[in-house]
Amino acid sequence: MPDRAAGDAERLARIQQRFSAFAAEYAALPLYSSLCRHLADDGDLASLLLVARPGQARPVLWLAALHDLVLRRPDVPAAQWYPSVVGPDHTPTGDPWSDVRRTVVENRDEVLQQIATHGTQTNEVNRAVYVALGLVAASLDSHGRPLALVELGASAGLLLAVDRYDVRVDSSSGPSLALGDRGSTVHCVGHDRSGVTAAHRTSALELPPVRGRVGVDLEPVDLSDDEAVRWLEACLWPEVPGRIERFRAARDLLRGQQPTVLRDDLVDGLRRAVDLTREQAGAESHVLVHSSWALTYVDASRRSDLEAEVRALAGDCEVLSWLSAEPPGCAPGIEPPAGVDGGGTVLGLRRWREGRELEPVTLGTCHPHGAWVDLTFEGLEEQTS
C-alpha cells in the first residue's frame, strides 16, 4: 500500500507540472491558463486526473471534463466564464477560480466519471489547413490520381471531408491559396509563415479529387448522437474565436453524409479501412493514411506496429502515402526540425511508390490547430523531378 501511495504522489507531481507547463505555453488563453496555474498548486483537484486511462492524464482531459459539465449544466457557477455557454461578449472579468473550484467540488463525482471513462477526442476542423497542404504535397507526383483517405484516430471523421471545406492559406509574400470548396459553409484559415504557397504558385497547387474516405477510431462519434457530439465540443478550447462555430458548421454540413469511421484499434483496423476506401475510390487510387495528434496518445510499441503495417500495405498499393501531424518523436521515421519543442506539431510525409519507399520528408511545423504553417516542399521536388 505505501508503494501505491508513493506512486500516486509521483504521478500527481507530474500532473501538476503538466498543468504548470500548459499555463505557460498557452498564456494567451485567459481562462484555461488561469485554471491551469491554479491546478498546478491545487493537488486535491489536480488529483482527479489520477483516474484517467493510460496516456490520458493530461490537462486537456481535465479541462474537457469541466467544459462538458458546463455545457450540460449552464446553471453551475463556472458556466458564466465560458464563451461557449454565454457567448463571447458576455463573460465576466477577473479570476474564475473561485467559481470553478466550487463547481468541481460540488460536482466531483460527475467530473471524475467523465475523466475515468473518456479520452481526449479533438475534431478540430481548422486542422484542415495543414491536412489539405499535406495532401497536396503527397500528391505532387501522383499526376491527379483520386485520393482514398484513411484517418487514424478519426473520431467523427470531420477531417476526412477536408475537400468539402473552404480552406484558405494566407501569405505575406503573395495572394491567398484557396483549396477545397469555396462555396462551403465551413471556413478554415491559416497563415503561411514560410511563403511556400506563394513560391509554388506556378505549380498550381490543388487538392486531387477525394473518392474514398474511411476513418478508424476506438470510440467513433455518430454526428446524430447529441451526447457524443457534446463531448467533442467539450474537447475544444472555448475561448479560441471561431472553433466552436466552425465545429458546429461542420457537423451541420456532414450530418446525414458522415464518412465511415470503423470502431477499431488504429493498427488492427488499418488494413480493413484501406480495403474499404479503395473500394470507394478504385484500385488505381492514391491511398493516403493520415493522423493529427492521434499517435501522441499511442504507446511507442504500437507506433512501431503501425509502421510495420503500413509497410506491409505498400506491397498491395501502387501509390501509398503516410501523412502525420504529430508532436516531435511520435511519428516513426520523421525527424523533427531543430528547435521544435514538445508541444509543437511536426508535419511529416512517408511515401511508397510501386512498393519502394522514397526518402521520408519532414515538411515542417504547424500550429496544432492550423492557425499557421511553416513548411517546405523542397525534398519532394528532388524526388519527383
Side-chain angles (χ1 to χ4, degrees), residues 83-102:
S84 53
V85 177
V86 300
D89 300 321
H90 297 89
T91 55
T93 58
D95 188 345
W97 183 243
S98 176
D99 287 333
V100 166
R101 196 177 201 291
R102 175 185 163 196

mmCIF file with all atom_site columns, all heavy atoms in Angstrom, residues 83-102:
data_model
loop_
_atom_site.group_PDB
_atom_site.id
_atom_site.type_symbol
_atom_site.label_atom_id
_atom_site.label_alt_id
_atom_site.label_comp_id
_atom_site.label_asym_id
_atom_site.label_entity_id
_atom_site.label_seq_id
_atom_site.pdbx_PDB_ins_code
_atom_site.Cartn_x
_atom_site.Cartn_y
_atom_site.Cartn_z
_atom_site.occupancy
_atom_site.B_iso_or_equiv
_atom_site.pdbx_formal_charge
_atom_site.auth_seq_id
_atom_site.auth_comp_id
_atom_site.auth_asym_id
_atom_site.auth_atom_id
_atom_site.pdbx_PDB_model_num
ATOM 1   N N   . PRO A 1 83  ? -17.289 31.236 -22.943 1.00 0.00 ? 83  PRO A N   1
ATOM 2   C CA  . PRO A 1 83  ? -17.914 31.846 -24.124 1.00 0.00 ? 83  PRO A CA  1
ATOM 3   C C   . PRO A 1 83  ? -18.816 30.873 -24.881 1.00 0.00 ? 83  PRO A C   1
ATOM 4   O O   . PRO A 1 83  ? -19.778 31.294 -25.510 1.00 0.00 ? 83  PRO A O   1
ATOM 5   C CB  . PRO A 1 83  ? -16.707 32.247 -24.987 1.00 0.00 ? 83  PRO A CB  1
ATOM 6   C CG  . PRO A 1 83  ? -15.570 32.355 -24.035 1.00 0.00 ? 83  PRO A CG  1
ATOM 7   C CD  . PRO A 1 83  ? -15.819 31.333 -22.974 1.00 0.00 ? 83  PRO A CD  1
ATOM 8   N N   . SER A 1 84  ? -18.510 29.585 -24.809 1.00 0.00 ? 84  SER A N   1
ATOM 9   C CA  . SER A 1 84  ? -19.330 28.582 -25.499 1.00 0.00 ? 84  SER A CA  1
ATOM 10  C C   . SER A 1 84  ? -20.707 28.435 -24.867 1.00 0.00 ? 84  SER A C   1
ATOM 11  O O   . SER A 1 84  ? -21.622 27.885 -25.486 1.00 0.00 ? 84  SER A O   1
ATOM 12  C CB  . SER A 1 84  ? -18.619 27.229 -25.482 1.00 0.00 ? 84  SER A CB  1
ATOM 13  O OG  . SER A 1 84  ? -18.247 26.867 -24.152 1.00 0.00 ? 84  SER A OG  1
ATOM 14  N N   . VAL A 1 85  ? -20.869 28.928 -23.637 1.00 0.00 ? 85  VAL A N   1
ATOM 15  C CA  . VAL A 1 85  ? -22.159 28.854 -22.933 1.00 0.00 ? 85  VAL A CA  1
ATOM 16  C C   . VAL A 1 85  ? -22.894 30.190 -22.982 1.00 0.00 ? 85  VAL A C   1
ATOM 17  O O   . VAL A 1 85  ? -24.071 30.260 -23.347 1.00 0.00 ? 85  VAL A O   1
ATOM 18  C CB  . VAL A 1 85  ? -21.952 28.425 -21.458 1.00 0.00 ? 85  VAL A CB  1
ATOM 19  C CG1 . VAL A 1 85  ? -23.297 28.417 -20.714 1.00 0.00 ? 85  VAL A CG1 1
ATOM 20  C CG2 . VAL A 1 85  ? -21.311 27.041 -21.391 1.00 0.00 ? 85  VAL A CG2 1
ATOM 21  N N   . VAL A 1 86  ? -22.197 31.269 -22.653 1.00 0.00 ? 86  VAL A N   1
ATOM 22  C CA  . VAL A 1 86  ? -22.871 32.580 -22.528 1.00 0.00 ? 86  VAL A CA  1
ATOM 23  C C   . VAL A 1 86  ? -22.622 33.501 -23.712 1.00 0.00 ? 86  VAL A C   1
ATOM 24  O O   . VAL A 1 86  ? -23.221 34.579 -23.789 1.00 0.00 ? 86  VAL A O   1
ATOM 25  C CB  . VAL A 1 86  ? -22.433 33.285 -21.225 1.00 0.00 ? 86  VAL A CB  1
ATOM 26  C CG1 . VAL A 1 86  ? -22.796 32.441 -20.016 1.00 0.00 ? 86  VAL A CG1 1
ATOM 27  C CG2 . VAL A 1 86  ? -20.936 33.598 -21.236 1.00 0.00 ? 86  VAL A CG2 1
ATOM 28  N N   . GLY A 1 87  ? -21.730 33.084 -24.619 1.00 0.00 ? 87  GLY A N   1
ATOM 29  C CA  . GLY A 1 87  ? -21.407 33.940 -25.755 1.00 0.00 ? 87  GLY A CA  1
ATOM 30  C C   . GLY A 1 87  ? -20.093 34.666 -25.531 1.00 0.00 ? 87  GLY A C   1
ATOM 31  O O   . GLY A 1 87  ? -19.719 34.966 -24.388 1.00 0.00 ? 87  GLY A O   1
ATOM 32  N N   . PRO A 1 88  ? -19.366 34.971 -26.603 1.00 0.00 ? 88  PRO A N   1
ATOM 33  C CA  . PRO A 1 88  ? -18.017 35.538 -26.476 1.00 0.00 ? 88  PRO A CA  1
ATOM 34  C C   . PRO A 1 88  ? -17.962 36.927 -25.852 1.00 0.00 ? 88  PRO A C   1
ATOM 35  O O   . PRO A 1 88  ? -16.918 37.333 -25.353 1.00 0.00 ? 88  PRO A O   1
ATOM 36  C CB  . PRO A 1 88  ? -17.509 35.563 -27.923 1.00 0.00 ? 88  PRO A CB  1
ATOM 37  C CG  . PRO A 1 88  ? -18.743 35.537 -28.765 1.00 0.00 ? 88  PRO A CG  1
ATOM 38  C CD  . PRO A 1 88  ? -19.750 34.749 -28.001 1.00 0.00 ? 88  PRO A CD  1
ATOM 39  N N   . ASP A 1 89  ? -19.056 37.660 -25.858 1.00 0.00 ? 89  ASP A N   1
ATOM 40  C CA  . ASP A 1 89  ? -19.043 39.024 -25.340 1.00 0.00 ? 89  ASP A CA  1
ATOM 41  C C   . ASP A 1 89  ? -19.709 39.164 -23.975 1.00 0.00 ? 89  ASP A C   1
ATOM 42  O O   . ASP A 1 89  ? -19.958 40.279 -23.514 1.00 0.00 ? 89  ASP A O   1
ATOM 43  C CB  . ASP A 1 89  ? -19.729 39.968 -26.335 1.00 0.00 ? 89  ASP A CB  1
ATOM 44  C CG  . ASP A 1 89  ? -19.044 39.969 -27.690 1.00 0.00 ? 89  ASP A CG  1
ATOM 45  O OD1 . ASP A 1 89  ? -17.798 39.923 -27.719 1.00 0.00 ? 89  ASP A OD1 1
ATOM 46  O OD2 . ASP A 1 89  ? -19.750 40.003 -28.711 1.00 0.00 ? 89  ASP A OD2 1
ATOM 47  N N   . HIS A 1 90  ? -19.986 38.034 -23.322 1.00 0.00 ? 90  HIS A N   1
ATOM 48  C CA  . HIS A 1 90  ? -20.746 38.102 -22.078 1.00 0.00 ? 90  HIS A CA  1
ATOM 49  C C   . HIS A 1 90  ? -20.054 37.434 -20.893 1.00 0.00 ? 90  HIS A C   1
ATOM 50  O O   . HIS A 1 90  ? -20.684 37.193 -19.865 1.00 0.00 ? 90  HIS A O   1
ATOM 51  C CB  . HIS A 1 90  ? -22.130 37.468 -22.285 1.00 0.00 ? 90  HIS A CB  1
ATOM 52  C CG  . HIS A 1 90  ? -22.970 38.182 -23.298 1.00 0.00 ? 90  HIS A CG  1
ATOM 53  N ND1 . HIS A 1 90  ? -22.936 37.873 -24.646 1.00 0.00 ? 90  HIS A ND1 1
ATOM 54  C CD2 . HIS A 1 90  ? -23.834 39.215 -23.175 1.00 0.00 ? 90  HIS A CD2 1
ATOM 55  C CE1 . HIS A 1 90  ? -23.760 38.668 -25.307 1.00 0.00 ? 90  HIS A CE1 1
ATOM 56  N NE2 . HIS A 1 90  ? -24.311 39.500 -24.430 1.00 0.00 ? 90  HIS A NE2 1
ATOM 57  N N   . THR A 1 91  ? -18.781 37.144 -21.010 1.00 0.00 ? 91  THR A N   1
ATOM 58  C CA  . THR A 1 91  ? -18.063 36.559 -19.877 1.00 0.00 ? 91  THR A CA  1
ATOM 59  C C   . THR A 1 91  ? -17.581 37.677 -18.951 1.00 0.00 ? 91  THR A C   1
ATOM 60  O O   . THR A 1 91  ? -17.240 38.766 -19.400 1.00 0.00 ? 91  THR A O   1
ATOM 61  C CB  . THR A 1 91  ? -16.862 35.735 -20.360 1.00 0.00 ? 91  THR A CB  1
ATOM 62  O OG1 . THR A 1 91  ? -16.029 36.555 -21.189 1.00 0.00 ? 91  THR A OG1 1
ATOM 63  C CG2 . THR A 1 91  ? -17.318 34.521 -21.146 1.00 0.00 ? 91  THR A CG2 1
ATOM 64  N N   . PRO A 1 92  ? -17.525 37.422 -17.646 1.00 0.00 ? 92  PRO A N   1
ATOM 65  C CA  . PRO A 1 92  ? -17.076 38.455 -16.708 1.00 0.00 ? 92  PRO A CA  1
ATOM 66  C C   . PRO A 1 92  ? -15.567 38.636 -16.754 1.00 0.00 ? 92  PRO A C   1
ATOM 67  O O   . PRO A 1 92  ? -14.843 37.866 -17.385 1.00 0.00 ? 92  PRO A O   1
ATOM 68  C CB  . PRO A 1 92  ? -17.521 37.900 -15.346 1.00 0.00 ? 92  PRO A CB  1
ATOM 69  C CG  . PRO A 1 92  ? -17.572 36.431 -15.539 1.00 0.00 ? 92  PRO A CG  1
ATOM 70  C CD  . PRO A 1 92  ? -17.969 36.195 -16.971 1.00 0.00 ? 92  PRO A CD  1
ATOM 71  N N   . THR A 1 93  ? -15.072 39.644 -16.084 1.00 0.00 ? 93  THR A N   1
ATOM 72  C CA  . THR A 1 93  ? -13.634 39.845 -15.931 1.00 0.00 ? 93  THR A CA  1
ATOM 73  C C   . THR A 1 93  ? -13.231 39.412 -14.529 1.00 0.00 ? 93  THR A C   1
ATOM 74  O O   . THR A 1 93  ? -14.063 39.310 -13.632 1.00 0.00 ? 93  THR A O   1
ATOM 75  C CB  . THR A 1 93  ? -13.263 41.323 -16.149 1.00 0.00 ? 93  THR A CB  1
ATOM 76  O OG1 . THR A 1 93  ? -13.989 42.127 -15.215 1.00 0.00 ? 93  THR A OG1 1
ATOM 77  C CG2 . THR A 1 93  ? -13.588 41.761 -17.564 1.00 0.00 ? 93  THR A CG2 1
ATOM 78  N N   . GLY A 1 94  ? -11.951 39.152 -14.359 1.00 0.00 ? 94  GLY A N   1
ATOM 79  C CA  . GLY A 1 94  ? -11.472 38.752 -13.049 1.00 0.00 ? 94  GLY A CA  1
ATOM 80  C C   . GLY A 1 94  ? -10.967 37.324 -13.046 1.00 0.00 ? 94  GLY A C   1
ATOM 81  O O   . GLY A 1 94  ? -10.697 36.729 -14.091 1.00 0.00 ? 94  GLY A O   1
ATOM 82  N N   . ASP A 1 95  ? -10.868 36.750 -11.856 1.00 0.00 ? 95  ASP A N   1
ATOM 83  C CA  . ASP A 1 95  ? -10.321 35.407 -11.674 1.00 0.00 ? 95  ASP A CA  1
ATOM 84  C C   . ASP A 1 95  ? -11.465 34.400 -11.548 1.00 0.00 ? 95  ASP A C   1
ATOM 85  O O   . ASP A 1 95  ? -12.295 34.496 -10.639 1.00 0.00 ? 95  ASP A O   1
ATOM 86  C CB  . ASP A 1 95  ? -9.459  35.374 -10.409 1.00 0.00 ? 95  ASP A CB  1
ATOM 87  C CG  . ASP A 1 95  ? -8.693  34.064 -10.253 1.00 0.00 ? 95  ASP A CG  1
ATOM 88  O OD1 . ASP A 1 95  ? -9.030  33.083 -10.942 1.00 0.00 ? 95  ASP A OD1 1
ATOM 89  O OD2 . ASP A 1 95  ? -7.741  34.032 -9.438  1.00 0.00 ? 95  ASP A OD2 1
ATOM 90  N N   . PRO A 1 96  ? -11.524 33.402 -12.451 1.00 0.00 ? 96  PRO A N   1
ATOM 91  C CA  . PRO A 1 96  ? -12.636 32.445 -12.430 1.00 0.00 ? 96  PRO A CA  1
ATOM 92  C C   . PRO A 1 96  ? -12.484 31.342 -11.391 1.00 0.00 ? 96  PRO A C   1
ATOM 93  O O   . PRO A 1 96  ? -13.416 30.546 -11.200 1.00 0.00 ? 96  PRO A O   1
ATOM 94  C CB  . PRO A 1 96  ? -12.581 31.845 -13.844 1.00 0.00 ? 96  PRO A CB  1
ATOM 95  C CG  . PRO A 1 96  ? -11.135 31.890 -14.197 1.00 0.00 ? 96  PRO A CG  1
ATOM 96  C CD  . PRO A 1 96  ? -10.595 33.153 -13.576 1.00 0.00 ? 96  PRO A CD  1
ATOM 97  N N   . TRP A 1 97  ? -11.344 31.268 -10.701 1.00 0.00 ? 97  TRP A N   1
ATOM 98  C CA  . TRP A 1 97  ? -11.036 30.072 -9.932  1.00 0.00 ? 97  TRP A CA  1
ATOM 99  C C   . TRP A 1 97  ? -12.046 29.783 -8.824  1.00 0.00 ? 97  TRP A C   1
ATOM 100 O O   . TRP A 1 97  ? -12.401 28.623 -8.595  1.00 0.00 ? 97  TRP A O   1
ATOM 101 C CB  . TRP A 1 97  ? -9.637  30.163 -9.331  1.00 0.00 ? 97  TRP A CB  1
ATOM 102 C CG  . TRP A 1 97  ? -9.240  28.910 -8.592  1.00 0.00 ? 97  TRP A CG  1
ATOM 103 C CD1 . TRP A 1 97  ? -8.956  28.790 -7.281  1.00 0.00 ? 97  TRP A CD1 1
ATOM 104 C CD2 . TRP A 1 97  ? -9.121  27.597 -9.143  1.00 0.00 ? 97  TRP A CD2 1
ATOM 105 N NE1 . TRP A 1 97  ? -8.646  27.492 -6.957  1.00 0.00 ? 97  TRP A NE1 1
ATOM 106 C CE2 . TRP A 1 97  ? -8.741  26.731 -8.086  1.00 0.00 ? 97  TRP A CE2 1
ATOM 107 C CE3 . TRP A 1 97  ? -9.290  27.064 -10.416 1.00 0.00 ? 97  TRP A CE3 1
ATOM 108 C CZ2 . TRP A 1 97  ? -8.528  25.367 -8.274  1.00 0.00 ? 97  TRP A CZ2 1
ATOM 109 C CZ3 . TRP A 1 97  ? -9.077  25.698 -10.615 1.00 0.00 ? 97  TRP A CZ3 1
ATOM 110 C CH2 . TRP A 1 97  ? -8.711  24.871 -9.545  1.00 0.00 ? 97  TRP A CH2 1
ATOM 111 N N   . SER A 1 98  ? -12.508 30.781 -8.131  1.00 0.00 ? 98  SER A N   1
ATOM 112 C CA  . SER A 1 98  ? -13.460 30.539 -7.039  1.00 0.00 ? 98  SER A CA  1
ATOM 113 C C   . SER A 1 98  ? -14.706 29.823 -7.545  1.00 0.00 ? 98  SER A C   1
ATOM 114 O O   . SER A 1 98  ? -15.152 28.828 -6.959  1.00 0.00 ? 98  SER A O   1
ATOM 115 C CB  . SER A 1 98  ? -13.838 31.863 -6.371  1.00 0.00 ? 98  SER A CB  1
ATOM 116 O OG  . SER A 1 98  ? -14.816 31.655 -5.374  1.00 0.00 ? 98  SER A OG  1
ATOM 117 N N   . ASP A 1 99  ? -15.276 30.309 -8.662  1.00 0.00 ? 99  ASP A N   1
ATOM 118 C CA  . ASP A 1 99  ? -16.473 29.679 -9.230  1.00 0.00 ? 99  ASP A CA  1
ATOM 119 C C   . ASP A 1 99  ? -16.162 28.290 -9.775  1.00 0.00 ? 99  ASP A C   1
ATOM 120 O O   . ASP A 1 99  ? -16.965 27.356 -9.644  1.00 0.00 ? 99  ASP A O   1
ATOM 121 C CB  . ASP A 1 99  ? -17.051 30.545 -10.344 1.00 0.00 ? 99  ASP A CB  1
ATOM 122 C CG  . ASP A 1 99  ? -17.746 31.794 -9.824  1.00 0.00 ? 99  ASP A CG  1
ATOM 123 O OD1 . ASP A 1 99  ? -18.227 31.767 -8.676  1.00 0.00 ? 99  ASP A OD1 1
ATOM 124 O OD2 . ASP A 1 99  ? -17.798 32.791 -10.564 1.00 0.00 ? 99  ASP A OD2 1
ATOM 125 N N   . VAL A 1 100 ? -14.999 28.147 -10.390 1.00 0.00 ? 100 VAL A N   1
ATOM 126 C CA  . VAL A 1 100 ? -14.626 26.854 -10.963 1.00 0.00 ? 100 VAL A CA  1
ATOM 127 C C   . VAL A 1 100 ? -14.394 25.827 -9.864  1.00 0.00 ? 100 VAL A C   1
ATOM 128 O O   . VAL A 1 100 ? -14.889 24.699 -9.931  1.00 0.00 ? 100 VAL A O   1
ATOM 129 C CB  . VAL A 1 100 ? -13.376 27.005 -11.854 1.00 0.00 ? 100 VAL A CB  1
ATOM 130 C CG1 . VAL A 1 100 ? -12.782 25.636 -12.184 1.00 0.00 ? 100 VAL A CG1 1
ATOM 131 C CG2 . VAL A 1 100 ? -13.721 27.752 -13.140 1.00 0.00 ? 100 VAL A CG2 1
ATOM 132 N N   . ARG A 1 101 ? -13.673 26.221 -8.834  1.00 0.00 ? 101 ARG A N   1
ATOM 133 C CA  . ARG A 1 101 ? -13.386 25.266 -7.767  1.00 0.00 ? 101 ARG A CA  1
ATOM 134 C C   . ARG A 1 101 ? -14.670 24.823 -7.075  1.00 0.00 ? 101 ARG A C   1
ATOM 135 O O   . ARG A 1 101 ? -14.865 23.629 -6.800  1.00 0.00 ? 101 ARG A O   1
ATOM 136 C CB  . ARG A 1 101 ? -12.410 25.874 -6.744  1.00 0.00 ? 101 ARG A CB  1
ATOM 137 C CG  . ARG A 1 101 ? -11.799 24.807 -5.855  1.00 0.00 ? 101 ARG A CG  1
ATOM 138 C CD  . ARG A 1 101 ? -10.774 25.335 -4.871  1.00 0.00 ? 101 ARG A CD  1
ATOM 139 N NE  . ARG A 1 101 ? -9.904  24.264 -4.431  1.00 0.00 ? 101 ARG A NE  1
ATOM 140 C CZ  . ARG A 1 101 ? -10.294 23.250 -3.651  1.00 0.00 ? 101 ARG A CZ  1
ATOM 141 N NH1 . ARG A 1 101 ? -11.541 23.199 -3.200  1.00 0.00 ? 101 ARG A NH1 1
ATOM 142 N NH2 . ARG A 1 101 ? -9.441  22.290 -3.316  1.00 0.00 ? 101 ARG A NH2 1
ATOM 143 N N   . ARG A 1 102 ? -15.543 25.773 -6.819  1.00 0.00 ? 102 ARG A N   1
ATOM 144 C CA  . ARG A 1 102 ? -16.823 25.434 -6.190  1.00 0.00 ? 102 ARG A CA  1
ATOM 145 C C   . ARG A 1 102 ? -17.608 24.474 -7.072  1.00 0.00 ? 102 ARG A C   1
ATOM 146 O O   . ARG A 1 102 ? -18.182 23.480 -6.589  1.00 0.00 ? 102 ARG A O   1
ATOM 147 C CB  . ARG A 1 102 ? -17.625 26.714 -5.943  1.00 0.00 ? 102 ARG A CB  1
ATOM 148 C CG  . ARG A 1 102 ? -19.033 26.475 -5.403  1.00 0.00 ? 102 ARG A CG  1
ATOM 149 C CD  . ARG A 1 102 ? -19.788 27.778 -5.296  1.00 0.00 ? 102 ARG A CD  1
ATOM 150 N NE  . ARG A 1 102 ? -21.219 27.574 -5.162  1.00 0.00 ? 102 ARG A NE  1
ATOM 151 C CZ  . ARG A 1 102 ? -22.122 28.517 -5.355  1.00 0.00 ? 102 ARG A CZ  1
ATOM 152 N NH1 . ARG A 1 102 ? -21.737 29.754 -5.670  1.00 0.00 ? 102 ARG A NH1 1
ATOM 153 N NH2 . ARG A 1 102 ? -23.412 28.248 -5.221  1.00 0.00 ? 102 ARG A NH2 1
#
